[in-house]
Amino acid sequence: MLFPRDVGVIRNTKGHQVQFQEDQREAFTQERQDRFLTLFSATSNIRYCSREIGIATSTIHHRRRHDPVFRAAFAAAQEQAVVSLRAEMVSRGLALLQAASPDEAADAALSGMDAKLILSLIEQYERSHGKEPGDIKPQKSDAGEATARLQALLIRMRLERQREMEERRKERAERKR
């Protein structure tokens, strides 16, 4: 049987059509890593860069967690990207201030990434700066603390329900008068 590619495996997908799948161990090659880091240093947008090179974002995050060399290169690219993003925000601000017409102002404000995305990427970088990939996601909370929060929520819900029922009773009483 002939397949469209030389490397890969056939996987059955629970009674569905059999699909050809590339061997994933070789998908994120050094060349692709370099392309990703170059793009990432210009944009600081993992999702966009991974889509451009054809790699899942989970692959990027996995490599970041398990490969110290890639993690260091990623951090350097991220710092460079944030500097570039800040410079872009300053440039756009100056272009808006110097715009002679509303059309020029609209072009300066809407070219490339919008300001909200740039500020979001900068904020995300600043929150996670100096933390390892495993430190960024929230950790499991204490069971006692979670129980106390749930109990407080239930009490608030019960009180709100009692208030609503009391208001309905008052409305019914007023209607009967």
Side-chain angles (χ1 to χ4, degrees), residues 33-160:
Q33 285 182 37
D34 294 342
R35 282 184 47 218
F36 169 81
L37 291 170
T38 301
L39 278 171
F40 185 70
S41 69
T43 64
S44 187
N45 190 332
I46 294 174
R47 189 174 298 141
Y48 167 78
C49 296
S50 63
R51 213 175 314 133
E52 285 295 309
I53 64 167
I55 295 293
T57 56
S58 60
T59 303
I60 306 294
H61 294 301
H62 181 269
R63 185 64 56 97
R64 223 176 118 200
R65 279 191 302 275
H66 296 95
D67 183 354
V69 174
F70 182 75
R71 185 182 314 132
F74 182 92
Q78 189 173 33
E79 286 188 31
Q80 182 178 349
V82 169
V83 169
S84 298
L85 291 173
R86 286 187 174 138
E88 177 68 18
M89 289 298 292
V90 169
S91 171
R92 287 183 188 192
L94 289 173
L96 285 171
L97 289 173
Q98 297 170 350
S101 70
D103 291 336
E104 289 178 2
D107 289 341
L110 298 175
S111 63
M113 286 192 276
D114 64 342
K116 186 176 179 181
L117 176 61
I118 292 173
L119 289 172
S120 170
L121 292 169
I122 291 171
E123 179 186 348
Q124 180 182 358
Y125 167 77
E126 288 173 346
R127 267 187 286 140
S128 64
H129 184 66
K131 295 180 181 176
E132 293 295 318
D135 297 338
I136 295 170
K137 291 189 178 181
Q139 303 298 314
K140 292 181 181 177
S141 62
D142 179 35
E145 180 184 320
T147 303
R149 284 195 312 261
L150 285 173
Q151 287 175 343
L153 177 63
L154 288 171
I155 290 169
R156 283 194 307 268
M157 289 171 63
R158 220 177 275 136
L159 290 172
E160 183 63 31

